[in-house]
Amino acid sequence: EVQLLESGGGLVQPGGSLRLSCTASGFTFNSYGMSWVRQAPGKGLEWVSGISGSGGSTYYADSVKGRFTISRDNSKNTLYLQMNSLRAEDTAVYYCAKDVGSGMPDAFDVWGQGTMVTVSS
Amino acid sequence: QSVLTQPPSASGTPGQRVTISCSGSSSNIGSNYVFWYQQLPGTAPKLLIDRNNQRPSGVPDRFSGSKSGTSASLAISGLRSEDEADYYCAAWDDSLSRYVFGTGTKVTVL
């Protein structure tokens, strides 16, 4: 069964850091691009960042560029999102999502259950 | 703010046909594929329509997508109570170099 499992969410103070992980199973991880998508409480979906299957290409939303870093370890079938200089507006459920292709973000056909990140003092 | 605009809500009675619009520009819908996602209450989104009008395996043929110029539409025919959800369009934007979601439409079955 194709599955994505996020972890690493929690409560962090403004200016703090957090690293999210997404462990994949049931498919050839390095053949597919991956993305992080977030959803603030009661709000719509916002794409955050994406990475190609090889890890050689990364993409970021302007709202997180310079603060967040996406990476992947294909030997561990794991996707990461390092989040620094966190702000209150980063509070959201963060989903990892599998792309149908190996390159730039396309259609996301598999989603994790999400992990909540709360930025508050 | 999103560059893809959707109506905030849509509704219909069981069996009716509901259409949701998604308005963009030449740098997103006008030059790239459009995708549609369904998000049931309290759950993760689900891919509903791929590449403008392709239904992934398991998606009922009651759902259909279309695209014309810089706009796209999702139609739900034979509306059912389980279709109550939020629906989002999405596309890659060449000018912004990022993936963009629409503002989202809440569908209510009356």
Side-chain angles (χ1 to χ4, degrees):
Chain A
E1 181 190 2
V2 177
Q3 210 166 16
L4 298 173
L5 187 61
E6 302 99 335
S7 61
L11 175 64
V12 61
Q13 291 188 337
S17 298
L18 211 56
R19 188 177 83 156
L20 305 183
S21 298
C22 171
T23 302
S25 59
F27 64 97
T28 305
F29 186 63
N30 61 12
S31 293
Y32 297 95
M34 299 289 295
S35 278
W36 290 97
V37 176
R38 69 184 180 184
Q39 187 169 35
K43 302 298 184 182
L45 301 174
E46 180 188 15
W47 175 81
V48 173
S49 182
I51 187 168
S52 62
S54 66
S57 297
T58 57
Y59 313 87
Y60 296 94
D62 287 345
S63 57
V64 306
K65 199 173 293 184
R67 299 188 300 124
F68 291 10
T69 302
I70 191 170
S71 63
R72 63 192 298 161
D73 185 336
N74 286 341
S75 69
K76 296 182 178 179
N77 287 357
T78 303
L79 173 74
Y80 302 101
L81 185 67
Q82 177 66 44
M83 304 185 295
N84 299 330
S85 303
L86 282 161
R87 307 165 179 166
E89 53 264 37
D90 295 318
T91 294
V93 173
Y94 284 73
Y95 296 100
C96 70
K98 169 189 168 292
D99 207 302
V100 298
S102 61
M104 56 196 295
D106 199 328
F108 305 136
D109 63 343
V110 182
W111 295 67
Q113 86 290 347
T115 187
M116 184 70 203
V117 172
T118 303
V119 184
S120 175
S121 55
Chain B
Q1 63 279 20
S2 177
V3 297
L4 301 182
T5 303
Q6 300 177 234
S9 63
S11 62
T13 56
Q16 276 191 328
R17 175 184 170 92
V18 168
T19 302
I20 301 169
S21 62
C22 176
S23 178
S25 68
S26 58
S27 63
N28 42 65
I29 294 178
S31 52
N32 294 297
Y33 290 121
V34 177
F35 313 104
W36 289 90
Y37 297 90
Q38 176 194 57
Q39 188 175 31
L40 297 169
T43 69
K46 168 190 171 184
L47 179 64
L48 202 61
I49 297 290
D50 185 7
R51 299 195 169 194
N52 303 332
N53 55 21
Q54 304 300 304
R55 280 187 309 276
S57 175
V59 174
D61 59 6
R62 303 184 295 105
F63 295 92
S64 62
S66 64
K67 177 182 129 172
S68 178
T70 59
S71 294
S73 293
L74 173 72
I76 310 173
S77 59
L79 194 65
R80 304 176 67 161
S81 58
E82 56 260 41
D83 298 333
E84 273 208 348
D86 294 321
Y87 293 83
Y88 297 90
C89 59
W92 179 262
D93 190 294
D94 292 330
S95 295
L96 299 175
S97 292
R98 64 179 173 94
Y99 196 85
V100 290
F101 283 100
T103 49
T105 299
K106 183 175 183 61
V107 168
T108 302
V109 181
L110 302 171

